[in-house]
Every structure is written in C-alpha cells, then in structure tokens.
Amino acid sequence: DAGVIQSPRHEVTEMGQEVTLRCKPISGHDYLFWYRQTMMRGLELLIYFNNNVPIDDSGMPEDRFSAKMPNASFSTLKIQPSEPRDSAVYFCASSFEAVPYEQYFGPGTRLTVT
Amino acid sequence: AQTVTQSQPEMSVQEAETVTLSCTYDTSESNYYLFWYKQPPSRQMILVIRQEAYKQQNATENRFSVNFQKAAKSFSLKISDSQLGDTAMYFCAFRSGYSTLTFGKGTMLLVSP
C-alpha cells in the first residue's frame, strides 16, 4: 500500500487566495483526520470523518476553513480566504475501525501564506 | 479532557547510549491506549510503539521500549543503542476508546556521534 497520500507537499500563496489541500487515505480505512502543526500550538486536530461523514469539526479554527470527504478515497481541506497565520504543516491521517488505536499519517503539506 | 505532558523540550544523547523520554498524562478513563510517534526532519509522523492500558506488560519494539506506570499515569520511552537516525521529534499521544488522539508538545532528541 502506498500509505496516506497528500498533495501538494508544499504550497506558497498570497494572503486572500483560496487554498485546497488534498488527501487520499489508505484503502479500507474508514476514519480520516486532518491536523495542523505549528511551533506555537503543536499538533491540533481540525476535523475527522467516519465513513465519509464529518464527526467532529470543533477544531476548525473559523469559517474560513472547510473540509469535505466526497468518497472513501478522497478528502479536501480548503481555506478561503487564506491569512498569514494559517501558515503551518497540515497532516492527513487515516485509521481502520477494527484497529482503533493506530493512525497512519501522510507526509504533510507545508503551507506558507505571504 | 485528557492532557498529555512532555516535560523535556530537548534531549541529547551520544550514539550507542541509552536515553529515556518522559511523558505523563491525565485521564479519568480506565481503558485507553498510549503511543509514541517519531517525526524526523522529513516531518513524516511514524508510529514507534503503542501500549494498551489493560496490559501490564511493557511494550517493546526492537531498541524501543516503554515504562508504563498506570497508577502514576506515566509512559516513558527508552531508546537503547541510540543511532544517528533516531534524531527526531518524539511525540507522546493518548487515545481512549474510539476518541481522537491527544498529543504532547514533543521532545526533540538529538543523537550525536
């Protein structure tokens, strides 16, 4: 298996632009998580899905952030409009319900908003 | 709410030596899981080891082992025969039941020749 796939690996954009981050979970996994990592706040859970349904989005910082999972093999995290304080590494992770204690992480997307 | 505390922001060790990273957590749950993740400079998060709270035996994975003290809510990671490739940020994480992972702030480990 290729593992969790994220794209792009790096994104540089100007303030005010829309940013879309993409994630392909491991095939067969039914949980998908989006995290944000910064030096100041560490790793934060933004939102997670179970069977494509958002379960908890209480970590989403504000309405500028949105996430979707249209099918079991694809999810997006969108920021519109982006701000410099959104600069961070964004990770996607997936897990399988029958083995609930292990999450597999993607390589992350480093986002820089200038 | 669960909290995970890693009190050592940075640690250094020489190659071939042993180092222990500390982690404490706070929870009212009785059944839960604990993890150590490694994040090397490539920034990929890699699972190093996990421990189920109901198991009394400490988990081991090759050179990595844990000291799980349930009553003290302590979960330390011991790395034996440290290697240069062990240089990374190490995160302790907690999960109860089907809840999400709660991470500590991390400990940066530098292994020097």
Side-chain angles (χ1 to χ4, degrees), chain B residues 10-19 21 38 41 63-64 79-90 108-113:
Chain B
E10 296 179 354
M11 295 278 286
S12 296
V13 66
Q14 288 196 314
E15 216 173 354
E17 292 186 345
T18 295
V19 64
L21 309 183
K38 167 185 176 181
R63 298 182 295 107
F64 298 88
I79 306 174
S80 304
D81 186 25
S82 297
Q83 300 176 0
L84 297 178
D86 295 333
T87 292
M89 183 74 86
Y90 287 81
M108 182 64 210
L109 175 67
L110 177 62
V111 181
S112 54

Side-chain angles (χ1 to χ4, degrees), chain A residues 9-10 31 33 35 37 41 43 45 48 89 91 97 100-103 105-110, chain B residues 33 35 37 39 42-47 50 52 89 91 95 97-101 103-105:
Chain A
R9 293 294 306 276
H10 303 273
Y31 281 85
F33 306 83
Y35 291 89
Q37 185 179 34
R41 300 174 68 91
L43 268 163
L45 177 67
Y48 77 97
V89 179
F91 286 100
E97 184 171 356
Y101 40 80
E102 198 158 313
Q103 291 183 17
F105 282 76
T109 296
R110 180 176 293 280
Chain B
Y33 309 93
F35 311 85
Y37 279 86
Q39 187 177 37
S42 67
R43 77 167 181 252
Q44 177 78 51
M45 292 284 285
I46 302 165
L47 179 66
R50 67 171 179 265
E52 291 89 345
M89 183 74 86
F91 292 94
R95 182 173 187 177
Y98 286 85
S99 73
T100 57
L101 280 173
F103 287 89
K105 294 294 186 184

